[in-house]
Amino acid sequence: MPFDSAPTPASGLLAQLDLPEPDSFDELRDAAGHLRPAWRRFFDWLPAGETPAGFDKRLELIAQQIKVDGVTHNIHDADGTAARPWSLELLPMLIEPADWAVIERGVSQRALLLDTMMADVYGEQTLLRESLLPPSLLYRHPGYLRPLHGVRPPGGVHLHIAAFDLARGADGHWWVISQRTQGPSGLGYVLHNRLIISRVFPEAFREMRVQHIASSYRRLLDTVEAQARQIAGGSPRVVLLTSGPYNETYFEHAYLARYLGVPLVEGGDLTVRADRLYLRTVAGLEPVHGVVRRLDDDYCDPLELRPDSTLGIPGLLQAVRAGHVVVANALGSGFLESPAVQGFLPAISRRLLGQELAMPSLPSWWCGEAAAFKAVLPTLAERVLRPAFPHPERGRANVPGEAGVAEWMRRIQDDPDAWLAQGRLLLSRTPMWRGGKPSAGAAMLRVYAIADTERRWHVLPGGMTRVATRTPLSVSMQHGGSSLDTWVLTDGAVDTFSMLPQRLKVDDIATRRRPVSSRTAENLFWLGRYTERTEQAVRLARAMLNTMDADLDPPAPVMDALCRLAIFNGLAAYGTPSASRAPQLFERSVLAALASGAAKAKSGSRPAVTSIASHIGALEYSASALRDRLSPEQVNLVRRMGEEFNATFATLDDKLPTVAQAMPALDRLGLQLAAVTGAQTDRMTRDHGWRLLTVGRLIERLAGMAHTLHTLLDEDALCSAVGVDLVLDLFDSTLTFRSRYQRHEDLLALVDLLVLDDANPRAFAGVLRRLRTELGKLPGTPSAIDALRERLPAEGAGITLDELRDLDDEALRQQLCGLSDRLQQAGARLSDDVGQRYFAHAEGGDRLRRV
């Protein structure tokens, strides 16, 4: 069959595409095998000489951009949780204006119907009294929350956003497959997909008049803010609630929070006091008036819902009942997601809206209704059986077939209310480009309806198209599905709305300052500590390998000190013989520790707690938990740093690396860490979060340098030129020392530069000076800040040059050892104090801010 009577040069790339099955709709071609008008226009706007290599190049650009932006989707399996790159196909899903008009009308009506149903079920319950909704279908569903009966949310809107999975039948008509009302996922991925694909095909995107989607995101935030303003009496604070970094769609939570300009919070960041919701911040408790949630109902409040939940906010339901917080969507919508509800919607729509459904659902027969079960029984082998209520052992969908009808009959008869039968629909096939050639995938479209302040519903002109990429067919991203950008074409004007809101007022400025939650502050604090810890470990590893690999014969005290430092920092196995007695064995132990830690991290196993690989992993975790605060470049740099370091050793096939192989990896890691610290220093706003990150780095630096100096002094390793070079290298002060003291290498010169010089960022005095400064700028009363600074010497390094006058080297060594011990203890105690005050709020209670 001809592909097209007059194919464009680019359209010929898909000429090899097989025709879909007869019972499925072909999104690319009509019944005569000709390109549909939208696809003809799409190919017309591609370069005339487009080749398969050109398509492959565009696909590489997509993969590269996803990697640069760090777009991930977490996969959960028996081995744990792993983040994989987001899967995005090259070709978009094209929807013509006439098709979109049908979708828009049907979806907006559905959303209004579901919101009206929810208001009735938690209010007058007309549907139950008139037997339009079976009581067992409602009351047995865990998504119906009895504690919220009679509660009317502020503004009267229960649902702010609803998602609908649609599929096109063989006749071209659209069907509703399922609906999501608790915390519909995908909005962040929809936005990112659009940003990428519109850049890959800029001419086609512009000239085909693809409708923009920004106004839908603004509408969602405007609606929540308008309702929250009634509670706040002024400018409200709205947050986005996530279950945390292990959620499968955590990337989009952070991406969406940043795009909307609201704080990303976890349940532990929030607390309820006097029936009001507050955000725990380093400055005290800040009132929260609106919550856009990405957390299912039963996890939201462990006091009244799921008691084993560690993700929710105790007392949230009471704050909702008191009308002191807007939750989008309102809690208690889970029962609407049951596929069994679909069969009752036509009659419910006639009763509540006075309208017939504009878009049909798949035919559904709830087995709890005797007449329905009797009607479907003769064709049960051809239907899809689904659980009516969430149940971990019942799965999601089952096709019994002729051989399994008897077994399924028994299961249904044991509990008919728990099952329903649905019709089957062969999904339409849409074109894709994979492996250098065309292919087709079964497609399902998820669209989003968003309510405005007048309870009118607007459908986001686009959505998340998911395609099956392998057999058995599943569009689920957890089971190998992929995504497409969805282009809704328009005959009218393209919406040019941007996310920029109306002009701010003076009173709005204060509320626009992003608060630093206690959890965020803690992650920033440990981001600083792990950055410094990794940097010190890398510097030590390089110094050790350089010292042992040199032609010099290092003195025994230097080798013994290196051995102690290596074991303490996880760079050599405990019990390894001293480097002065068995230098080759010690070197092999260091190389083996580098290789084994990296290999374990590469394979997903947990490396040794103190290895360089584990430090990088901890650093990466802290960065991933701060996606809404760190730039994508920072997060991507940290991730790539770990990948490249671990890959270096993982390619050795269990062979021990040589020094020549290890040193380039350590050198590159050192450069990447310098870039990370540069980004932390020069590319972050100086708010309380940044100050705590800096405090964390300085505490780690103080403790690490104090331990290093004490070890070198204790082993008497600074009495040789090799030992002096080593300590200068570890303190990153070689250039300054040589320019200041030339050939002098006595201990007093080292003390001046590495202990007393407050202009040296690697000297004790320099670290302490900055620590005192940054602590003084943290929030808190003067007495509370003074209590933190009292952990440190009042000035300088806690020792002066005059105090060292007339001391011989042994007395000087004793003085420095005592100072190092005191500073290590001071750093540990200060870390505990900072954690208690700003992360756990263990001292002084939570300080309430006026609502």
Side-chain angles (χ1 to χ4, degrees):
M1 181 179 294
F3 185 82
D4 194 276
S5 56
T8 64
S11 67
L13 295 174
L14 300 183
Q16 305 171 20
L17 186 62
D18 294 334
L19 292 174
E21 299 176 46
D23 292 334
S24 65
F25 185 86
D26 188 347
E27 299 285 351
L28 178 68
R29 297 167 290 205
D30 60 21
H34 300 155
L35 284 178
R36 297 189 185 277
W39 281 105
R40 185 179 299 112
R41 291 168 56 200
F42 176 83
F43 288 119
D44 283 343
W45 286 107
L46 295 185
E50 188 72 57
T51 63
F55 266 32
D56 289 341
K57 182 64 176 178
R58 295 177 192 263
L59 203 56
E60 290 174 6
L61 292 176
I62 292 173
Q64 181 181 7
Q65 191 62 51
I66 287 174
K67 186 174 183 179
V68 167
D69 293 344
V71 191
T72 57
H73 184 258
N74 294 336
I75 302 298
H76 305 288
D77 55 29
D79 297 327
T81 301
R84 75 171 188 186
W86 178 248
S87 181
L88 174 61
E89 300 298 324
L90 173 64
L91 300 176
M93 174 78 165
L94 303 183
I95 301 181
E96 294 273 23
D99 279 330
W100 184 249
V102 172
I103 292 173
E104 193 171 31
R105 183 170 62 253
V107 166
S108 59
Q109 182 200 51
R110 284 281 181 129
L112 175 62
L113 177 61
L114 295 183
D115 186 59
T116 307
M117 280 181 66
M118 196 167 171
D120 177 77
V121 164
Y122 286 100
E124 297 180 358
Q125 297 193 329
T126 302
L127 299 178
L128 295 177
R129 290 200 312 271
E130 298 182 6
S131 301
L132 294 173
L133 184 66
S136 59
L137 197 56
L138 176 68
Y139 290 133
R140 185 175 169 183
H141 199 290
Y144 175 70
L145 304 183
R146 290 173 175 80
L148 293 179
H149 185 264
V151 176
R152 186 176 185 272
V157 178
H158 287 81
L159 302 181
H160 298 76
I161 178 171
F164 299 88
D165 289 329
L166 311 180
R168 199 200 294 258
D171 58 0
H173 293 155
W174 292 93
W175 297 76
V176 177
I177 305 300
S178 62
Q179 51 212 25
R180 295 288 180 267
T181 56
Q182 295 188 73
S185 64
L187 274 178
Y189 292 118
V190 167
L191 180 61
H192 198 271
N193 285 358
R194 171 57 53 87
L195 293 176
I196 291 181
I197 300 301
S198 62
R199 293 170 185 168
V200 173
F201 297 110
E203 296 85 2
F205 181 81
R206 181 180 62 253
E207 299 299 335
M208 292 180 70
R209 308 180 69 83
V210 179
Q211 192 59 275
H212 296 180
I213 59 178
S215 59
S216 297
Y217 294 84
R218 183 71 240 175
R219 182 175 293 112
L220 172 62
L221 189 58
D222 283 347
T223 303
V224 176
E225 284 187 337
Q227 295 173 347
R229 190 171 288 111
Q230 302 173 22
I231 300 169
S235 296
R237 172 166 285 118
V238 177
V239 299
L240 193 150
L241 176 63
T242 175
S243 57
Y246 291 114
N247 184 277
E248 62 185 29
T249 59
Y250 180 71
F251 166 82
E252 76 149 343
H253 300 181
Y255 191 79
L256 193 57
R258 176 177 290 179
Y259 186 69
L260 295 177
V262 300
L264 180 69
V265 302
E266 296 179 22
D269 297 328
L270 303 172
T271 185
V272 174
R273 303 291 171 86
D275 296 343
R276 293 184 182 274
L277 187 64
Y278 293 90
L279 174 64
R280 302 178 194 266
T281 77
V282 295
L285 298 182
E286 300 277 358
V288 172
H289 311 98
V291 177
V292 178
R293 66 183 177 98
R294 292 301 312 276
L295 189 63
D296 285 349
D297 290 350
D298 52 346
Y299 288 96
C300 284
D301 186 345
L303 285 184
E304 299 192 51
L305 300 176
R306 184 167 174 163
D308 63 340
S309 171
T310 60
L311 306 175
I313 309 106
L316 179 61
L317 261 65
Q318 183 56 33
V320 169
R321 281 192 293 263
H324 292 158
V325 63
V326 174
V327 180
N329 285 334
L331 296 168
S333 67
F335 74 94
L336 293 171
E337 297 181 351
S338 171
V341 171
Q342 301 274 9
F344 298 93
L345 291 183
I348 292 175
S349 179
R350 288 190 291 269
R351 175 63 179 85
L352 296 182
L353 305 183
Q355 302 171 0
E356 296 292 337
L357 283 181
M359 184 179 294
S361 305
L362 285 181
S364 300
W365 297 266
W366 179 50
C367 298
E369 190 176 33
F373 182 47
K374 183 178 180 181
V376 77
L377 188 57
T379 59
L380 194 63
E382 304 168 11
R383 305 300 178 186
V384 177
L385 297 179
R386 298 182 183 275
F389 314 113
H391 195 286
E393 297 179 1
R394 290 185 180 137
R396 298 180 62 86
N398 306 271
V399 180
E402 295 291 347
V405 168
E407 172 61 21
W408 277 103
M409 279 285 297
R410 184 188 63 77
R411 293 191 192 183
I412 293 173
Q413 288 170 351
D414 286 345
D415 189 2
D417 289 359
W419 298 98
L420 71 145
Q422 274 190 333
R424 301 173 66 180
L425 182 69
L426 201 59
L427 302 180
S428 66
R429 296 312 197 258
T430 191
M432 300 188 299
W433 186 265
R434 290 185 145 244
K437 61 181 180 181
S439 64
M444 183 179 291
L445 170 64
R446 174 169 291 187
V447 295
Y448 302 85
I450 297 170
D452 63 20
T453 56
E454 304 299 323
R455 292 190 68 206
R456 294 187 298 259
W457 287 86
H458 308 263
V459 184
L460 183 147
M464 171 74 69
T465 299
R466 293 171 295 164
V467 290
T469 60
R470 61 191 185 193
T471 303
L473 296 181
S474 174
V475 300
S476 168
M477 303 300 289
Q478 282 285 323
H479 298 95
S482 189
S483 70
L484 280 66
D485 187 20
T486 305
W487 289 11
V488 172
L489 312 182
T490 178
D491 293 328
V494 173
D495 184 6
T496 58
F497 179 88
S498 75
M499 273 293 291
L500 295 175
Q502 61 185 358
R503 182 184 177 88
L504 286 173
K505 299 177 182 179
V506 172
D507 293 340
D508 295 328
I509 296 299
T511 63
R512 296 290 173 174
R513 296 183 186 275
R514 181 168 52 172
V516 181
S517 72
S518 297
R519 176 190 54 84
T520 296
E522 186 170 12
N523 280 323
L524 286 166
F525 179 80
W526 282 100
L527 180 71
R529 293 201 65 167
Y530 278 118
T531 301
E532 182 67 26
R533 190 174 297 180
T534 308
E535 191 172 5
Q536 289 185 20
V538 170
R539 187 172 293 278
L540 177 61
R542 291 164 60 188
M544 283 191 304
L545 294 178
N546 275 328
T547 301
M548 291 185 294
D549 200 47
D551 293 333
L552 301 173
D553 186 14
V558 173
M559 300 304 290
D560 291 340
L562 279 173
C563 182
R564 283 178 57 181
L565 289 172
I567 292 173
F568 180 82
N569 288 278
L571 301 180
Y574 181 79
T576 302
S578 170
S580 63
R581 292 190 289 114
Q584 292 183 340
L585 181 60
F586 183 75
E587 181 182 280
R588 289 175 61 84
S589 179
V590 172
L591 294 170
L594 289 173
S596 63
K600 287 181 180 179
K602 177 74 173 178
S603 66
S605 303
R606 189 179 182 87
V609 176
T610 56
S611 68
I612 288 179
S614 75
H615 296 336
I616 298 174
L619 179 59
E620 186 174 351
Y621 175 82
S622 297
S624 67
L626 293 164
R627 279 182 177 271
D628 61 318
R629 294 191 66 93
L630 302 181
S631 68
E633 292 83 1
Q634 284 196 58
V635 177
N636 189 51
L637 176 59
V638 172
R639 178 187 54 78
R640 190 169 66 247
M641 182 172 68
E643 288 179 352
E644 293 179 359
F645 181 75
N646 297 332
T648 299
F649 297 98
T651 57
L652 298 177
D653 298 327
D654 297 327
K655 295 179 181 178
L656 197 65
T658 64
V659 173
Q661 290 171 322
M663 286 300 291
L666 291 169
D667 290 341
R668 175 160 180 77
L669 184 55
L671 288 174
Q672 291 171 320
L673 282 165
V676 170
T677 55
Q680 293 174 0
T681 302
D682 198 46
R683 300 192 65 186
M684 295 182 66
T685 303
R686 263 60 170 169
D687 60 3
H688 295 321
W690 178 85
R691 298 197 188 286
L692 284 164
L693 181 152
T694 304
V695 166
R697 284 204 66 191
L698 294 172
I699 288 175
E700 189 68 33
R701 181 175 298 177
L702 181 67
M705 293 192 317
H707 178 265
T708 296
L709 184 60
H710 184 279
T711 301
L712 292 169
L713 290 168
D714 194 48
E715 292 290 344
D716 206 17
L718 300 182
C719 297
S720 65
V722 176
V724 171
D725 288 341
L726 175 63
V727 73
L728 291 174
D729 188 7
L730 295 178
F731 276 62
D732 195 18
S733 298
T734 301
L735 184 62
T736 304
F737 185 86
R738 294 304 179 195
S739 64
R740 182 181 298 181
Y741 294 104
Q742 290 84 35
R743 291 171 295 172
H744 291 281
E745 295 181 345
D746 53 277
L747 187 56
L748 191 60
L750 292 174
V751 171
D752 179 47
L753 180 63
L754 305 183
V755 176
L756 302 176
D757 190 350
D758 66 359
N760 181 4
R762 300 282 174 171
F764 289 167
V767 173
L768 289 166
R769 176 181 59 80
R770 285 201 62 202
L771 255 179
R772 288 188 287 264
T773 299
E774 299 304 339
L775 288 171
K777 296 179 181 179
L778 290 175
T781 62
S783 61
I785 299 302
D786 287 344
L788 293 176
R789 291 199 286 197
E790 284 173 2
R791 291 294 190 188
L792 306 174
E795 58 181 358
I799 193 172
T800 65
L801 197 57
D802 281 340
E803 292 174 312
L804 306 181
R805 193 181 302 276
D806 299 328
L807 296 182
D808 59 21
D809 282 353
E810 177 58 26
L812 182 56
R813 188 179 69 84
Q814 293 294 337
Q815 283 272 20
L816 294 176
C817 283
L819 176 64
S820 297
D821 284 341
R822 293 194 299 274
L823 292 181
Q824 285 187 74
Q825 294 171 13
R829 290 169 181 166
L830 178 59
S831 179
D832 290 342
D833 290 348
V834 168
Q836 289 176 350
R837 175 161 188 81
Y838 295 109
F839 312 149
H841 294 285
E843 292 185 2
D846 291 324
R847 301 165 301 285
L848 286 157
R849 298 292 292 271
R850 214 159 50 112
V851 178

